[in-house]
Amino acid sequence: MNFLSLNGSEWKVCKKGTDEFIPATVPGTIHQDLLNAKKIEDPFYRDNELDLMWIGETDWVYSRIFNIKSDILKKENVFLKCHGLDTIATIYINGKKIGYTDNMFRSWEFDIKKFLKTGENNIKIVFGSAIKYMDKHGKSKITFLGHPGKCFIRKMQCNSGWDWGPQLVTCGIWQDIEIVSWNTAKIKDVLVQQKHTKNKVDLNISLEIDGKRGGHSAEVSIFYKDKKIKSEIIPIKKSKETVKFQIKNPKLWWPAGMGNQPLYDIKIFLRGQAFTINKTDKNSSQTNLLDTKEFKIGLRTLELKREKDKWGESFEFVANGKPFYAKGANWIPEDAVYSRTTKDDYRRLLTDAKSANMNMIRVWGGGIYERDAFYDICDEIGLCVWQDFMFACSPYPYHEEKFAKNVDAELEDIIRKLRNRACLALWCGNNEIIMCGYVGNGGWPKMTIKQFEALFVKKMQQLVNKFDPGRKKSYWPSSPMSSLKETYPKDYAHYISDPTSGDEHMWDVWHGRKLFEFYRTSFHRFCSEFGFQSFTEPKTTDTFTLPQDRNVTSRIMEHHQRAGTANSLIIDYMLSWYRMPVGFYNTLWLSQIQQGLSIKYAIEHWRRNMDRCRGALYWQLNDCWPVASWASIDYEGRWKALHYMAKNFYAPILLSVLENSEKKTMEIHVSSDALKNQKGKVEWLAYNANGDLLDSGKFDTEIKSNKSKLVKKINFKKIISDKCPEDDFLFFVNLKINSKIVSENFASFVKPKYIEIVNPEIKTKIKKTGENTFSIKLKSKKPALWLWLELINIDATLSDNFFCLSPSSEKTVTINPAKKLTLKKLKSKLIIKSIWDTFREN
Ligand code: BMA
């Protein structure tokens, strides 16, 4: 097998009908090329985006010259392989049309042997405007956001805008492109199936071979840490051949937080020789080699369990027989100019997710099936993937034959591509098609129940059964959805929000404008979406604004808000929870604290009810441009308050407090995802807002593995009537295991706006502890509520931020500035603030 990559910077691009070429890079997109050639301004700056709509309305022509050596043309088969074209593309080689594509998610192969010649050849790919394509199909069709015709094109659905995303309608060769030539036979695909029994894993490795059969052989080997542990040579007689291995004492792959992620390498050599090949011949792997394939697997079982229980039907993930609580967030494309995302970008964000104690990430159905690097990293670090198929918030014309064929081919492609991944926990049919009301009985433009079922209930399940049989049970037709009953009701409206089964998108808070308290009425089995918006952090906000824009109601700040009037919703919630902040930057910071608390409120509740609710994935991990949104990490990669808070509320052992302001009780709960039972010590402290200690206590507690428990209920009626008005009552609590704090929390009976917060008078002791690492010991004289540390104009990674500190505790935070600093410089750049600073008039 011979590969000739056509990637690189030898490409050029021009508007169709012109010859004003600019250099182009492949893989890439037109926006990236125009930016690199300095033909357009940064689309994310102020409202530049509005001047760039023409890009998506234009047809673009990519072309390059490449050289073909005569030996390639001597091969029996010569194909052009496009791993991803965005989207409506007509391909020409040496002026002859060789193919047409209309699905950015598929990979395409075209037989081009007869179009090539030895020496110089030309390839030209004409991308038709996706906007024109959508216009043709989409006028007056219903949809959630973006272009009304987007459901007719198999292209990233948020490409024409979303309630957090700009409208940058891209095109281009967004994945690798290569010429593949081969003789005799090649490996079409490999499926690895695992059967786990005590201390053993039986592997079934099935090879699919294209081309001729008979007379050649495949050597299939398994390596662990570069050491060959199993190998077998089999003759290829049929188009499908299977090798079986048994691995004793397997090193199991675990989701993050449950164990390690050992990966085994599978290597396959297909050779054009009889299978009697000499096993001891070191050079044999090179002898008449036809094709090779290499990939990694993790030995584990990982599945969704839905079983009858006392509440209805469970929705729980199980790894290696151990049920676990899914903790994580939803993933959207990393950049609106999505082709710019690098492996480092993936690594940074996914590692940040893991650092916040997440073990699952949902690849949301309105974006893209991510590139290999994304899943490689998830495999490596133990982030389980809930993978939506790319259908979101629209009806889809699956009743049209051409569309259905295209979709079926896409699904097969994607299932084949991801099925051997250790990290893949769930296939899910779509995002919110039922919830948004796109299924009904009246007929198109809604999908009828029959049409919905044809694609999401039947076809996808069939394809998963066929191509990924090990995940038969780990297919879920729609998110959110309640479990399908024997008899289907008249419409699918019944199939969401049932607290006895399925998954829930809990948007009553935020979209439904209900107060945070509403979360505590939700006892759904799994919450796969819920969210709360905040503004980008000040440093990020400065990147897209001019000084005159720096007010949350300015035109530019409203432009960087895509969910209608949501800026006013942020402020509306602030009115009910906080004192109004003073000034622009305080408003930005406070919006982040508010967002963090809202999600903390929800997740602590679901973790307290962890027997019933088996997972929480908040909306959303990341942003694709600088925008006010539900993300916990902004576009520039800065952790918002929510992300720091997530690290705490997703900690393996969580100490949380349920206040009852009527009865004046504080309930202390411990929720544990740990695999072992442990012993701990809880300490609680009651203060008034001025920092006078009112009462305190300590007690030992048993921490049961995979359980949540109310460990103490304390009544403060007397203290409140004798010593302290309810408004000023502050409750701090921490849990230690072996003298080390593993979780700490804060609660009050009233909303923060009513507390008479005073200057916390924070003192610090700062030491340099490493190359560019400093430890900051913090002590506050008075209670410090949601204090945070920042460096003026310098980014930094902190071990914790946005936390509450009682006057009797000390906390040490580690800080790593993004730039090398001396101790003196760090001290001069450090700012420590708390909620007190946000409303203080200077
Ligand atoms: C859900 C998601 C997205 C949306 C988000 C915020 O509906 O599935 O479609 O961006 O909420 O509104």
Side-chain angles (χ1 to χ4, degrees):
M1 189 96 151
N2 189 293
F3 298 91
L4 174 71
S5 172
L6 298 182
N7 288 353
S9 51
E10 274 124 68
W11 290 82
K12 52 187 185 168
V13 60
C14 68
K15 281 187 195 170
K16 192 177 162 192
T18 72
D19 55 3
E20 292 154 29
F21 285 100
I22 56 164
T25 305
V26 169
T29 50
I30 185 63
H31 287 74
Q32 211 179 336
D33 293 325
L34 290 166
L35 275 165
N36 289 344
K38 304 212 171 359
K39 293 286 176 199
I40 57 170
E41 298 289 332
D42 175 6
F44 299 164
Y45 185 66
R46 302 192 79 224
D47 56 1
N48 282 352
E49 174 201 357
L50 299 176
D51 297 330
L52 302 176
M53 295 301 155
W54 60 272
I55 303 172
E57 288 159 2
T58 306
D59 301 335
W60 294 95
V61 183
Y62 278 79
S63 64
R64 71 164 280 178
I65 304 286
F66 59 94
N67 264 298
I68 288 288
K69 291 200 181 124
S70 58
D71 56 333
I72 291 190
L73 292 183
K74 282 189 201 127
K75 300 263 183 188
E76 292 159 19
N77 308 285
V78 186
F79 282 86
L80 175 72
K81 183 147 190 178
C82 310
H83 293 261
L85 297 174
D86 173 11
T87 295
I88 307 299
T90 313
I91 307 160
Y92 301 84
I93 288 199
N94 298 327
K96 299 254 164 53
K97 179 174 163 184
I98 57 120
Y100 170 81
T101 75
D102 55 2
N103 187 332
M104 81 175 279
F105 305 126
R106 286 173 64 181
S107 51
W108 303 85
E109 266 189 10
F110 303 100
D111 185 348
I112 54 167
K113 191 168 168 177
K114 64 172 186 272
F115 300 100
L116 293 174
K117 53 182 197 264
T118 311
E120 224 172 61
N121 288 262
N122 173 280
I123 178 166
K124 183 169 90 176
I125 306 186
V126 181
F127 288 95
S129 151
I131 293 189
K132 286 190 219 154
Y133 185 96
M134 292 190 286
D135 279 348
K136 205 166 110 197
H137 289 91
K139 294 257 163 60
S140 85
K141 292 294 186 290
I142 54 168
T143 191
F144 168 63
L145 282 165
H147 194 288
K150 68 180 188 306
C151 56
F152 291 94
I153 189 169
R154 294 308 296 145
K155 176 172 171 56
M156 176 162 106
Q157 296 286 278
C158 63
N159 204 225
S160 58
W162 211 261
D163 61 356
W164 35 256
Q167 179 173 348
L168 297 174
V169 178
T170 49
C171 74
I173 306 163
W174 75 283
Q175 301 249 52
D176 295 340
I177 182 164
E178 59 194 352
I179 292 173
V180 188
S181 51
W182 52 284
N183 282 336
T184 319
K186 73 173 172 67
I187 305 165
K188 180 182 176 199
D189 205 5
V190 184
L191 169 67
V192 182
Q193 288 177 273
Q194 310 185 8
K195 194 165 164 251
H196 288 238
T197 44
K198 202 160 186 272
N199 293 330
K200 275 187 292 203
V201 178
D202 287 295
L203 290 180
N204 245 8
I205 304 183
S206 324
L207 315 184
E208 281 177 71
I209 306 293
D210 269 351
K212 293 186 194 115
R213 279 157 247 151
H216 44 280
S217 65
E219 180 181 350
V220 182
S221 313
I222 305 180
F223 290 74
Y224 183 66
K225 294 197 169 159
D226 293 331
K227 210 177 129 209
K228 196 187 268 187
I229 55 165
K230 296 270 169 189
S231 189
E232 195 72 55
I233 296 173
I234 54 159
I236 303 294
K237 292 183 182 152
K238 301 181 266 107
S239 57
K240 270 195 188 155
E241 295 286 354
T242 301
V243 192
K244 290 180 197 282
F245 291 118
Q246 186 171 81
I247 300 188
K248 296 207 173 96
N249 301 317
K251 310 237 172 337
L252 294 182
W253 184 97
W254 289 96
M258 296 178 84
N260 296 330
Q261 291 80 40
L263 294 171
Y264 289 74
D265 293 284
I266 306 275
K267 294 189 189 176
I268 300 162
F269 296 99
L270 182 69
R271 296 199 194 86
Q273 252 170 336
F275 63 96
T276 48
I277 194 159
N278 181 359
K279 281 191 199 182
T280 54
D281 177 2
K282 284 214 180 88
N283 297 321
S284 67
S285 59
Q286 297 310 320
T287 318
N288 199 10
L289 192 61
L290 298 175
D291 196 6
T292 62
K293 217 173 197 84
E294 275 188 34
F295 55 94
K296 291 182 190 299
I297 59 161
L299 301 180
R300 89 284 174 276
T301 60
L302 179 59
E303 55 184 343
L304 172 69
K305 271 228 164 115
R306 291 165 41 218
E307 281 171 1
K308 294 273 160 283
D309 64 11
K310 64 175 167 181
W311 296 288
E313 187 186 281
S314 63
F315 196 100
E316 164 177 78
F317 289 93
V318 182
N320 302 324
K322 293 212 189 300
F324 67 96
Y325 195 92
K327 299 182 287 196
N330 284 267
W331 172 275
I332 62 166
E334 188 273 336
D335 194 320
V337 183
Y338 65 85
S339 54
R340 288 196 290 208
T341 302
T342 63
K343 185 159 189 175
D344 286 346
D345 295 325
Y346 281 137
R347 190 171 291 284
R348 172 181 47 79
L349 274 171
L350 294 168
T351 311
D352 284 349
K354 184 174 175 172
S355 305
N357 290 310
M358 295 185 189
N359 57 22
M360 186 172 280
I361 198 103
R362 171 172 174 241
V363 180
W364 166 77
I368 50 175
Y369 304 99
E370 287 298 342
R371 279 143 286 196
D372 290 346
F374 175 94
Y375 303 97
D376 287 347
I377 297 165
C378 290
D379 278 348
E380 252 173 61
I381 67 175
L383 272 186
C384 299
V385 174
W386 167 314
Q387 178 70 51
D388 280 3
F389 290 116
M390 293 299 132
F391 300 87
C393 305
S394 272
Y396 287 91
Y398 192 67
H399 52 281
E400 287 176 6
E401 205 186 322
K402 196 171 151 234
F403 185 87
K405 265 197 174 154
N406 194 0
V407 163
D408 292 352
E410 164 195 328
L411 297 171
E412 180 180 337
D413 256 19
I414 297 303
I415 298 171
R416 282 178 178 279
K417 199 170 149 199
L418 298 182
R419 62 188 179 178
N420 295 324
R421 292 278 175 187
C423 61
L424 189 68
L426 186 77
W427 292 113
C428 174
N430 71 75
N431 176 71
E432 293 186 350
I433 291 184
I434 304 172
M435 180 178 147
C436 292
Y438 297 122
V439 188
N441 269 330
W444 191 256
K446 286 197 174 186
M447 293 179 95
T448 62
I449 291 166
K450 258 199 159 150
Q451 287 160 4
F452 178 87
E453 285 175 356
L455 175 56
F456 298 111
V457 180
K458 295 192 181 122
K459 191 68 190 191
M460 285 185 179
Q461 179 75 66
Q462 274 165 14
L463 292 174
V464 169
N465 293 355
K466 182 168 175 194
F467 295 112
D468 191 10
R471 288 195 185 80
K472 264 186 199 163
K473 287 190 183 164
S474 302
Y475 171 69
W476 184 238
S478 190
S479 183
M481 196 179 96
S482 308
S483 204
L484 290 174
K485 305 276 158 39
E486 304 273 291
T487 45
Y488 292 6
K490 288 261 165 356
D491 64 59
Y492 270 77
H494 296 77
Y495 284 150
I496 59 159
S497 289
D498 173 357
T500 69
S501 72
D503 70 323
E504 165 72 351
H505 289 189
M506 167 51 69
W507 283 107
D508 298 69
V509 181
W510 185 260
H511 286 308
R513 293 177 170 250
K514 296 228 165 79
L515 293 177
F516 299 177
E517 288 87 331
F518 187 82
Y519 283 127
R520 289 183 178 166
T521 66
S522 151
F523 293 93
H524 294 90
R525 310 309 307 266
F526 193 104
C527 294
S528 40
E529 269 193 32
F530 50 97
F532 200 94
Q533 276 206 6
S534 69
F535 296 110
T536 47
E537 85 130 271
K539 288 186 185 85
T540 302
T541 311
D542 288 353
T543 63
F544 65 84
T545 52
L546 284 172
Q548 62 266 34
D549 307 325
R550 293 175 191 154
N551 186 299
V552 295
T553 51
S554 72
R555 189 175 291 285
I556 296 303
M557 286 301 284
E558 287 186 356
H559 184 75
H560 287 250
Q561 165 59 269
R562 288 309 161 91
T565 55
N567 284 359
S568 69
L569 194 48
I570 297 176
I571 303 297
D572 194 37
Y573 274 100
M574 257 179 205
L575 290 173
S576 67
W577 275 80
Y578 301 97
R579 300 209 175 171
M580 282 312 285
V582 174
F584 180 62
Y585 293 118
N586 280 330
T587 308
L588 305 186
W589 284 120
L590 190 64
S591 77
Q592 292 197 9
I593 293 171
Q594 163 166 278
Q595 174 194 30
L597 285 185
S598 157
I599 301 305
K600 172 179 186 285
Y601 211 89
I603 288 173
E604 288 186 348
H605 162 72
W606 289 318
R607 287 192 70 185
R608 282 195 291 272
N609 292 284
M610 65 184 281
D611 278 352
R612 179 168 177 162
C613 169
R614 296 300 291 149
L617 311 176
Y618 65 73
W619 184 266
Q620 74 214 57
L621 180 75
N622 55 319
D623 271 335
C624 63
W625 74 310
V627 64
S629 84
W630 302 266
S632 62
I633 302 176
D634 74 22
Y635 175 68
E636 297 292 339
R638 300 192 168 103
W639 286 25
K640 291 180 171 181
L642 168 58
H643 208 77
Y644 283 105
M645 291 191 200
K647 191 174 174 183
N648 293 320
F649 61 63
Y650 277 151
I653 296 176
L654 168 73
L655 182 73
S656 69
V657 182
L658 188 58
E659 78 292 341
N660 184 325
S661 34
E662 258 170 52
K663 296 190 175 139
K664 306 287 176 277
T665 56
M666 291 284 179
E667 285 183 5
I668 305 175
H669 292 250
V670 178
S671 316
S672 169
D673 296 331
L675 297 173
K676 285 189 295 191
N677 295 340
Q678 291 175 75
K679 283 189 177 31
K681 208 178 214 48
V682 176
E683 179 186 25
W684 59 267
L685 302 141
Y687 279 94
N688 67 16
N690 192 45
D692 306 313
L693 186 65
L694 305 169
D695 200 357
S696 68
K698 271 187 194 169
F699 60 91
D700 292 329
T701 187
E702 297 278 329
I703 307 165
K704 279 243 160 76
S705 143
N706 218 357
K707 281 270 164 251
S708 185
K709 201 171 128 195
L710 164 66
V711 294
K712 187 85 139 196
K713 184 172 182 171
I714 312 167
N715 194 314
F716 290 107
K717 222 178 201 151
K718 191 151 168 33
I719 288 190
I720 284 176
S721 67
D722 295 356
K723 294 198 207 168
C724 171
E726 149 182 89
D727 280 4
D728 280 352
F729 182 88
L730 309 180
F731 188 68
F732 295 86
V733 57
N734 68 63
L735 170 67
K736 285 188 186 133
I737 295 180
N738 299 328
S739 315
K740 198 177 157 249
I741 292 182
V742 293
S743 184
E744 52 193 334
N745 226 317
F746 165 78
S748 60
F749 288 123
V750 297
K751 301 210 160 73
K753 66 180 178 181
Y754 296 131
I755 304 172
E756 278 311 327
I757 300 170
V758 297
N759 182 357
E761 297 177 48
I762 298 161
K763 294 244 156 38
T764 57
K765 273 192 197 148
I766 309 178
K767 275 201 284 192
K768 188 165 181 200
T769 52
E771 242 310 80
N772 199 30
T773 308
F774 303 85
S775 80
I776 305 176
K777 196 181 261 180
L778 299 151
K779 190 150 179 47
S780 69
K781 196 160 169 206
K782 308 284 168 84
L785 301 190
W786 299 288
L787 76 79
W788 77 93
L789 299 90
E790 47 169 322
L791 298 179
I792 305 167
N793 293 330
I794 299 171
D795 282 315
T797 316
L798 291 130
S799 58
D800 201 358
N801 218 358
F802 301 95
F803 46 81
C804 299
L805 202 59
S806 83
S808 61
S809 54
E810 252 181 16
K811 186 169 172 109
T812 304
V813 169
T814 312
I815 186 164
N816 287 86
K819 184 164 128 185
K820 207 155 184 210
L821 296 181
T822 60
L823 183 60
K824 196 167 156 217
K825 193 92 186 161
L826 180 104
K827 283 183 180 168
S828 72
K829 294 276 177 194
L830 184 67
I831 298 181
I832 300 176
K833 284 191 181 164
S834 69
I835 204 167
W836 177 73
D837 297 270
T838 63
F839 58 80
R840 201 164 51 103
E841 301 279 355
N842 279 314

